Amino acid sequence: MAQVEKRGGLLRKSSASKKPLKEKVVLMYDEIFMTEDPSKCSPRFWEELFLMKVNLEYLEGKLESLDGEELMKIKDNINCLFQHCIQALGEDHPIRVVNALQTLCALIRGVHQKNKSTSGFDIINMLMGFDKAELCMKNLMESLDSLLCAEGSESLKSLCLKLLLCLVTVTDNISQNTILEYVMINSIFEAILQILSHPPSRREHGYDAVVLLALLVNYRKYESVNPYIVKLSIVDDEATLNGMGLVIAQALSEYNRQYKDKEEEHQSGFFSALTNMVGSMFIADAHEKISVQTNEAILLALYEAVHLNRNFITVLAQSHPEMGLVTTPVSPAPTTPATPLGTTPPSSDVISSVELPLDADVQTSNLLITFLKYSSIVMQDTKDEHRLHSGKLCLIILTCIAEDQYANAFLHDDNMNFRVNLHRMPMRHRKKAADKNLPCRPLVCAVLDLMVEFIVTHMMKEFPMDLYVRCIQVVHKLLCYQKKCRVRLHYTWRELWSALINLLKFLMSNETVLLAKHNIFTLALMIVNLFNMFITYGDTFLPTPSSYDELYYEIIRMHQSFDNLYSMVLRLSTNAGQWKEAASKVTHALVNIRAIINHFNPKIESYAAVNHISQLSEEQVLEVVRANYDTLTLKLQDGLDQYERYSEQHKEAAFFKELVRSISTNVRRNLAFHTLSQEVLLKEFSTIS
């Protein structure tokens, strides 16, 4: 017997046959695409259709091949197919339910593709008819809710989530997707929470559930009351919030692991040996080669949880024992592994029954540590648009955390010390830090390390001004908490001061180039005011009196940089140019720094002359500083410990609209319905009569 091949809905013998044979399901689709009602000649037509294996490719292709006018002619049959799909979801036969779900996906995607043309027909009317739309969507959402909450097949739940993701992401701009109005009215929020709170479901479907929730929260969030926003903001169930945190932590951990694997593979390769030989001439190129694509979808979910739900803040600091255990799964591996959805799905199933191990050098971990490590990777290279968006979102999340009283309490808690191994950008002038020598410190030290790392590694021609402003704001908000609560943090503040002064030097040396694109005086003012914060309130939060002395030493040592800054802003503030007002603010802010320099410099020179020393040691300068505090006069500056709280709607709406559009496009691109083969489904349902 000649071998039979299947391609595009056609059955044909591999030997030369006169006419290809069509699958029965394809013949039935062809009947639907006629103007006549297919059930007229065949009363059991719809009953039989859902017993047939769906041919997604053919059905979607057929819908896309018709123009708007042709599609309108068969509108009644499309409506009928849509309604029968919904009816089939309520049936006991699981194969019929699966086929109905897959058919709905093909219908929604196929009809939406047509809407991209100028045919002008309404999608809701095309799929279900205006008169029946409300009832159809109510029945559809109720069926999906029941399937998601039931004890039944994991494959069905997986398909339900994929259908919902298909529904949400068919348009790039989800706020223009009118079908989602029905998803708002007929909420599946509780079903999503149930998946997250139930460990077996969470492992199978947590990723899809979290991404779906993040997208639904962003539907018309600035134009109307979104019930998903309201409900997410008041969730207080510990199991649910922890479940959501675990899903996010695991997805970020998987990213971190992939990056680390690629980094190790890269370092052990020939290229690494070559770069070492030639003095790391190509270190930047080498770094770019080991970048792993970012996952904005899961980052958006973390942002929405942190931003909307105060209770979620507690999840950031909680250790997840599951993440630290590597056990052999008791149950067999899932029969239908679903490719996780998102901006870039991880290469393996993240939410698997085997939880991810922690880094060998970290004994305990939590979501915040995982997020800080993730941030340290994506914030290294901001030249790529996705990484720039990811870096910005990381800084926005850190801004929300830095403003929260409870988050600050555990960030600064001396009893919660962690060893956080952040990724550092390879640079010619510094050696790679030894991971094993990292000290255990409060988590705020890791946040400050991350900010310092960003400051020193992004002084470049394509200057990321917006990210720098956010970075300085995060530091300022942490200092405000320390001042308010008199927290004396044992941190190497000199690294921060040095980074800030180098940033000022960079702004001055690139004044002409940067001023053509940015108002650099906004950033300069923020940096100067950070120093003013240390000068005015440092005695309340610096760890020791000697730390305060070191601050003065650093200002005096780098006085030339502050003098140059003063000359630059004075020049621009006395001219009638566009920067006059912005520059004059910096001039006024420098008053105390200049007072310190002008007060101590003559005294240091005098000390050197009297003692016949050409160059004073640090200890000798500090001795002069300590002896002359009493005669120093400083001005009290108002508002140094005040800041404007983060507001998404007024300042970040455009960024989030663009980000959600990008995520929607990528989720749609990565949405795979073919992971559930008919053979697997038949095997799973073989015990069901």
Short mmCIF file of all heavy atoms in Angstrom, two decimals, residues 73-117:
data_model
loop_
_atom_site.label_atom_id
_atom_site.label_comp_id
_atom_site.label_asym_id
_atom_site.label_seq_id
_atom_site.Cartn_x
_atom_site.Cartn_y
_atom_site.Cartn_z
N LYS A 73 -20.70 37.47 3.51
CA LYS A 73 -21.70 36.58 2.91
C LYS A 73 -21.88 35.31 3.74
O LYS A 73 -22.95 34.70 3.73
CB LYS A 73 -21.28 36.20 1.48
CG LYS A 73 -21.46 37.34 0.48
CD LYS A 73 -20.99 36.92 -0.90
CE LYS A 73 -21.08 38.07 -1.89
NZ LYS A 73 -20.48 37.72 -3.21
N ILE A 74 -20.82 34.89 4.42
CA ILE A 74 -20.93 33.65 5.22
C ILE A 74 -21.01 33.97 6.73
O ILE A 74 -20.76 33.10 7.57
CB ILE A 74 -19.74 32.69 4.93
CG1 ILE A 74 -18.39 33.38 5.23
CG2 ILE A 74 -19.78 32.19 3.51
CD1 ILE A 74 -17.26 32.39 5.42
N LYS A 75 -21.35 35.23 7.06
CA LYS A 75 -21.41 35.66 8.45
C LYS A 75 -22.32 34.75 9.29
O LYS A 75 -21.97 34.37 10.41
CB LYS A 75 -21.90 37.12 8.54
CG LYS A 75 -22.00 37.64 9.96
CD LYS A 75 -22.53 39.05 10.00
CE LYS A 75 -23.80 39.26 10.71
NZ LYS A 75 -24.22 38.48 11.81
N ASP A 76 -23.46 34.37 8.76
CA ASP A 76 -24.39 33.52 9.51
C ASP A 76 -23.75 32.19 9.89
O ASP A 76 -23.94 31.69 11.01
CB ASP A 76 -25.67 33.27 8.70
CG ASP A 76 -26.53 34.54 8.61
OD1 ASP A 76 -26.24 35.49 9.37
OD2 ASP A 76 -27.45 34.58 7.79
N ASN A 77 -23.01 31.62 8.95
CA ASN A 77 -22.34 30.34 9.24
C ASN A 77 -21.21 30.50 10.26
O ASN A 77 -20.99 29.62 11.10
CB ASN A 77 -21.78 29.73 7.94
CG ASN A 77 -22.88 29.06 7.12
OD1 ASN A 77 -24.05 29.03 7.54
ND2 ASN A 77 -22.53 28.52 5.97
N ILE A 78 -20.48 31.63 10.18
CA ILE A 78 -19.41 31.91 11.16
C ILE A 78 -20.03 32.06 12.55
O ILE A 78 -19.54 31.49 13.53
CB ILE A 78 -18.62 33.20 10.78
CG1 ILE A 78 -17.92 33.04 9.43
CG2 ILE A 78 -17.61 33.57 11.88
CD1 ILE A 78 -16.75 32.09 9.40
N ASN A 79 -21.13 32.83 12.62
CA ASN A 79 -21.86 33.00 13.90
C ASN A 79 -22.30 31.66 14.46
O ASN A 79 -22.17 31.38 15.65
CB ASN A 79 -23.10 33.88 13.71
CG ASN A 79 -22.79 35.35 13.45
OD1 ASN A 79 -23.68 36.14 13.19
ND2 ASN A 79 -21.51 35.71 13.51
N CYS A 80 -22.78 30.82 13.55
CA CYS A 80 -23.29 29.50 13.94
C CYS A 80 -22.15 28.63 14.48
O CYS A 80 -22.29 27.95 15.50
CB CYS A 80 -23.92 28.84 12.72
SG CYS A 80 -25.28 27.75 13.16
N LEU A 81 -20.99 28.68 13.79
CA LEU A 81 -19.82 27.91 14.22
C LEU A 81 -19.37 28.38 15.61
O LEU A 81 -19.09 27.57 16.49
CB LEU A 81 -18.68 28.08 13.19
CG LEU A 81 -17.33 27.44 13.55
CD1 LEU A 81 -17.47 25.94 13.79
CD2 LEU A 81 -16.30 27.69 12.44
N PHE A 82 -19.32 29.70 15.80
CA PHE A 82 -18.89 30.27 17.08
C PHE A 82 -19.82 29.80 18.21
O PHE A 82 -19.36 29.37 19.28
CB PHE A 82 -18.90 31.81 16.97
CG PHE A 82 -18.10 32.50 18.04
CD1 PHE A 82 -16.75 32.74 17.89
CD2 PHE A 82 -18.70 32.92 19.22
CE1 PHE A 82 -16.00 33.38 18.88
CE2 PHE A 82 -17.98 33.55 20.22
CZ PHE A 82 -16.61 33.79 20.05
N GLN A 83 -21.13 29.87 17.96
CA GLN A 83 -22.11 29.47 18.99
C GLN A 83 -22.03 27.97 19.30
O GLN A 83 -22.12 27.56 20.47
CB GLN A 83 -23.52 29.84 18.54
CG GLN A 83 -23.80 31.33 18.65
CD GLN A 83 -24.97 31.79 17.78
OE1 GLN A 83 -25.90 31.02 17.56
NE2 GLN A 83 -24.89 33.00 17.28
N HIS A 84 -21.82 27.16 18.26
CA HIS A 84 -21.72 25.71 18.48
C HIS A 84 -20.42 25.36 19.23
O HIS A 84 -20.39 24.38 19.99
CB HIS A 84 -21.82 24.94 17.16
CG HIS A 84 -23.24 24.73 16.72
ND1 HIS A 84 -23.90 25.61 15.89
CD2 HIS A 84 -24.14 23.76 17.03
CE1 HIS A 84 -25.14 25.18 15.69
NE2 HIS A 84 -25.32 24.05 16.37
N CYS A 85 -19.37 26.14 19.00
CA CYS A 85 -18.12 25.95 19.76
C CYS A 85 -18.40 26.15 21.25
O CYS A 85 -17.96 25.36 22.09
CB CYS A 85 -17.05 26.95 19.31
SG CYS A 85 -16.25 26.53 17.75
N ILE A 86 -19.13 27.23 21.55
CA ILE A 86 -19.43 27.56 22.96
C ILE A 86 -20.30 26.46 23.58
O ILE A 86 -20.07 26.05 24.72
CB ILE A 86 -20.09 28.95 23.07
CG1 ILE A 86 -19.09 30.03 22.63
CG2 ILE A 86 -20.57 29.22 24.50
CD1 ILE A 86 -19.68 31.40 22.42
N GLN A 87 -21.27 25.98 22.79
CA GLN A 87 -22.13 24.89 23.29
C GLN A 87 -21.30 23.64 23.59
O GLN A 87 -21.49 22.97 24.60
CB GLN A 87 -23.20 24.55 22.25
CG GLN A 87 -24.35 25.54 22.22
CD GLN A 87 -25.32 25.25 21.07
OE1 GLN A 87 -25.43 24.10 20.62
NE2 GLN A 87 -25.99 26.29 20.60
N ALA A 88 -20.34 23.35 22.70
CA ALA A 88 -19.50 22.14 22.86
C ALA A 88 -18.64 22.21 24.12
O ALA A 88 -18.25 21.17 24.67
CB ALA A 88 -18.62 21.96 21.63
N LEU A 89 -18.32 23.43 24.59
CA LEU A 89 -17.50 23.57 25.80
C LEU A 89 -18.20 23.02 27.04
O LEU A 89 -17.56 22.65 28.01
CB LEU A 89 -17.15 25.05 26.05
CG LEU A 89 -16.25 25.74 25.01
CD1 LEU A 89 -15.96 27.16 25.44
CD2 LEU A 89 -14.94 24.97 24.82
N GLY A 90 -19.53 22.96 26.97
CA GLY A 90 -20.29 22.48 28.12
C GLY A 90 -20.53 20.98 28.09
O GLY A 90 -21.18 20.43 28.98
N GLU A 91 -20.01 20.31 27.05
CA GLU A 91 -20.26 18.87 26.92
C GLU A 91 -19.29 18.04 27.76
O GLU A 91 -18.23 18.50 28.16
CB GLU A 91 -20.16 18.47 25.45
CG GLU A 91 -21.27 19.12 24.62
CD GLU A 91 -21.44 18.49 23.27
OE1 GLU A 91 -20.99 17.33 23.11
OE2 GLU A 91 -22.01 19.14 22.39
N ASP A 92 -19.66 16.78 27.99
CA ASP A 92 -18.84 15.90 28.83
C ASP A 92 -17.66 15.30 28.08
O ASP A 92 -16.67 14.92 28.68
CB ASP A 92 -19.71 14.76 29.39
CG ASP A 92 -20.77 15.30 30.35
OD1 ASP A 92 -20.50 16.34 30.97
OD2 ASP A 92 -21.84 14.67 30.46
N HIS A 93 -17.79 15.20 26.77
CA HIS A 93 -16.75 14.55 25.98
C HIS A 93 -15.55 15.49 25.85
O HIS A 93 -15.62 16.52 25.19
CB HIS A 93 -17.29 14.21 24.58
CG HIS A 93 -16.52 13.13 23.90
ND1 HIS A 93 -15.15 13.21 23.71
CD2 HIS A 93 -16.92 11.94 23.36
CE1 HIS A 93 -14.75 12.13 23.08
NE2 HIS A 93 -15.80 11.34 22.86
N PRO A 94 -14.40 15.16 26.49
CA PRO A 94 -13.26 16.10 26.50
C PRO A 94 -12.67 16.39 25.13
O PRO A 94 -12.19 17.49 24.88
CB PRO A 94 -12.23 15.41 27.41
CG PRO A 94 -12.64 13.99 27.49
CD PRO A 94 -14.11 13.94 27.28
N ILE A 95 -12.72 15.42 24.21
CA ILE A 95 -12.17 15.66 22.88
C ILE A 95 -12.97 16.76 22.17
O ILE A 95 -12.40 17.62 21.50
CB ILE A 95 -12.17 14.35 22.03
CG1 ILE A 95 -11.15 13.35 22.59
CG2 ILE A 95 -11.87 14.65 20.56
CD1 ILE A 95 -9.70 13.78 22.47
N ARG A 96 -14.27 16.75 22.35
CA ARG A 96 -15.13 17.79 21.74
C ARG A 96 -14.78 19.16 22.33
O ARG A 96 -14.74 20.16 21.61
CB ARG A 96 -16.61 17.47 21.98
CG ARG A 96 -17.08 16.21 21.25
CD ARG A 96 -18.47 15.79 21.73
NE ARG A 96 -19.49 16.75 21.32
CZ ARG A 96 -20.11 16.72 20.14
NH1 ARG A 96 -19.81 15.77 19.28
NH2 ARG A 96 -21.00 17.61 19.83
N VAL A 97 -14.53 19.18 23.64
CA VAL A 97 -14.20 20.45 24.31
C VAL A 97 -12.87 20.98 23.77
O VAL A 97 -12.75 22.17 23.45
CB VAL A 97 -14.13 20.27 25.85
CG1 VAL A 97 -13.73 21.56 26.54
CG2 VAL A 97 -15.46 19.76 26.39
N VAL A 98 -11.89 20.10 23.65
CA VAL A 98 -10.57 20.49 23.12
C VAL A 98 -10.70 21.03 21.71
O VAL A 98 -10.15 22.10 21.38
CB VAL A 98 -9.59 19.29 23.15
CG1 VAL A 98 -8.34 19.56 22.31
CG2 VAL A 98 -9.18 18.97 24.58
N ASN A 99 -11.42 20.32 20.87
CA ASN A 99 -11.60 20.76 19.48
C ASN A 99 -12.34 22.08 19.39
O ASN A 99 -12.03 22.92 18.54
CB ASN A 99 -12.31 19.68 18.66
CG ASN A 99 -11.40 18.48 18.42
OD1 ASN A 99 -10.18 18.60 18.38
ND2 ASN A 99 -12.00 17.30 18.27
N ALA A 100 -13.31 22.26 20.27
CA ALA A 100 -14.06 23.53 20.30
C ALA A 100 -13.14 24.68 20.70
O ALA A 100 -13.19 25.77 20.10
CB ALA A 100 -15.24 23.42 21.27
N LEU A 101 -12.29 24.46 21.70
CA LEU A 101 -11.36 25.50 22.16
C LEU A 101 -10.39 25.89 21.04
O LEU A 101 -10.14 27.07 20.79
CB LEU A 101 -10.57 25.01 23.37
CG LEU A 101 -11.32 24.94 24.71
CD1 LEU A 101 -10.52 24.14 25.73
CD2 LEU A 101 -11.62 26.33 25.25
N GLN A 102 -9.87 24.87 20.34
CA GLN A 102 -8.91 25.16 19.27
C GLN A 102 -9.59 25.85 18.09
O GLN A 102 -9.01 26.74 17.47
CB GLN A 102 -8.23 23.86 18.83
CG GLN A 102 -7.28 23.31 19.90
CD GLN A 102 -6.49 22.10 19.41
OE1 GLN A 102 -7.04 21.23 18.76
NE2 GLN A 102 -5.21 22.05 19.76
N THR A 103 -10.82 25.46 17.81
CA THR A 103 -11.57 26.10 16.72
C THR A 103 -11.84 27.57 17.04
O THR A 103 -11.72 28.44 16.17
CB THR A 103 -12.90 25.35 16.47
OG1 THR A 103 -12.64 23.97 16.24
CG2 THR A 103 -13.65 25.93 15.29
N LEU A 104 -12.18 27.85 18.30
CA LEU A 104 -12.41 29.24 18.73
C LEU A 104 -11.15 30.08 18.53
O LEU A 104 -11.23 31.23 18.07
CB LEU A 104 -12.85 29.28 20.20
CG LEU A 104 -14.32 28.93 20.48
CD1 LEU A 104 -14.53 28.73 21.97
CD2 LEU A 104 -15.25 30.02 19.95
N CYS A 105 -10.00 29.51 18.87
CA CYS A 105 -8.73 30.23 18.69
C CYS A 105 -8.52 30.59 17.21
O CYS A 105 -8.16 31.72 16.88
CB CYS A 105 -7.56 29.38 19.17
SG CYS A 105 -7.51 29.16 20.95
N ALA A 106 -8.75 29.61 16.34
CA ALA A 106 -8.56 29.83 14.90
C ALA A 106 -9.53 30.89 14.38
O ALA A 106 -9.16 31.76 13.59
CB ALA A 106 -8.75 28.52 14.15
N LEU A 107 -10.79 30.81 14.84
CA LEU A 107 -11.81 31.77 14.41
C LEU A 107 -11.44 33.19 14.82
O LEU A 107 -11.50 34.13 14.02
CB LEU A 107 -13.16 31.42 15.05
CG LEU A 107 -14.13 30.55 14.25
CD1 LEU A 107 -15.39 30.32 15.06
CD2 LEU A 107 -14.50 31.24 12.92
N ILE A 108 -11.08 33.35 16.10
CA ILE A 108 -10.77 34.68 16.61
C ILE A 108 -9.57 35.28 15.89
O ILE A 108 -9.59 36.42 15.45
CB ILE A 108 -10.53 34.63 18.15
CG1 ILE A 108 -11.85 34.31 18.87
CG2 ILE A 108 -9.95 35.94 18.67
CD1 ILE A 108 -11.68 33.81 20.29
N ARG A 109 -8.54 34.46 15.72
CA ARG A 109 -7.33 34.96 15.05
C ARG A 109 -7.58 35.25 13.57
O ARG A 109 -7.15 36.27 13.05
CB ARG A 109 -6.19 33.96 15.21
CG ARG A 109 -5.72 33.85 16.65
CD ARG A 109 -4.27 33.50 16.78
NE ARG A 109 -3.92 32.20 16.22
CZ ARG A 109 -2.83 31.53 16.53
NH1 ARG A 109 -1.99 32.02 17.42
NH2 ARG A 109 -2.55 30.36 15.99
N GLY A 110 -8.29 34.34 12.93
CA GLY A 110 -8.57 34.51 11.49
C GLY A 110 -9.40 35.75 11.20
O GLY A 110 -9.08 36.52 10.29
N VAL A 111 -10.46 35.96 11.97
CA VAL A 111 -11.34 37.11 11.75
C VAL A 111 -10.62 38.42 12.10
O VAL A 111 -10.76 39.42 11.40
CB VAL A 111 -12.66 36.97 12.56
CG1 VAL A 111 -13.47 38.25 12.53
CG2 VAL A 111 -13.49 35.81 12.00
N HIS A 112 -9.81 38.39 13.16
CA HIS A 112 -9.05 39.60 13.52
C HIS A 112 -8.04 39.97 12.45
O HIS A 112 -7.80 41.15 12.21
CB HIS A 112 -8.34 39.41 14.86
CG HIS A 112 -9.06 40.06 15.99
ND1 HIS A 112 -9.05 41.43 16.16
CD2 HIS A 112 -9.83 39.57 16.98
CE1 HIS A 112 -9.77 41.74 17.23
NE2 HIS A 112 -10.27 40.62 17.74
N GLN A 113 -7.44 38.97 11.79
CA GLN A 113 -6.50 39.24 10.71
C GLN A 113 -7.18 40.03 9.60
O GLN A 113 -6.61 40.94 9.03
CB GLN A 113 -5.95 37.93 10.13
CG GLN A 113 -4.84 37.31 10.96
CD GLN A 113 -3.60 38.18 11.03
OE1 GLN A 113 -3.30 38.74 12.07
NE2 GLN A 113 -2.91 38.33 9.92
N LYS A 114 -8.44 39.66 9.34
CA LYS A 114 -9.20 40.36 8.29
C LYS A 114 -9.45 41.81 8.66
O LYS A 114 -9.51 42.67 7.81
CB LYS A 114 -10.56 39.68 8.05
CG LYS A 114 -10.54 38.32 7.49
CD LYS A 114 -9.64 38.17 6.27
CE LYS A 114 -9.95 39.12 5.13
NZ LYS A 114 -8.87 39.14 4.12
N ASN A 115 -9.57 42.07 9.95
CA ASN A 115 -9.89 43.43 10.40
C ASN A 115 -8.74 44.40 10.12
O ASN A 115 -8.92 45.60 10.16
CB ASN A 115 -10.21 43.43 11.90
CG ASN A 115 -10.89 44.71 12.33
OD1 ASN A 115 -11.79 45.19 11.68
ND2 ASN A 115 -10.42 45.28 13.43
N LYS A 116 -7.54 43.84 9.86
CA LYS A 116 -6.40 44.72 9.58
C LYS A 116 -6.55 45.38 8.22
O LYS A 116 -5.92 46.37 7.93
CB LYS A 116 -5.11 43.92 9.65
CG LYS A 116 -4.74 43.54 11.08
CD LYS A 116 -3.43 42.82 11.15
CE LYS A 116 -3.12 42.46 12.60
NZ LYS A 116 -1.91 41.64 12.71
N SER A 117 -7.39 44.78 7.37
CA SER A 117 -7.62 45.40 6.06
C SER A 117 -8.65 46.51 6.21
O SER A 117 -9.12 46.81 7.29
CB SER A 117 -8.12 44.34 5.07
OG SER A 117 -9.39 43.88 5.49
#
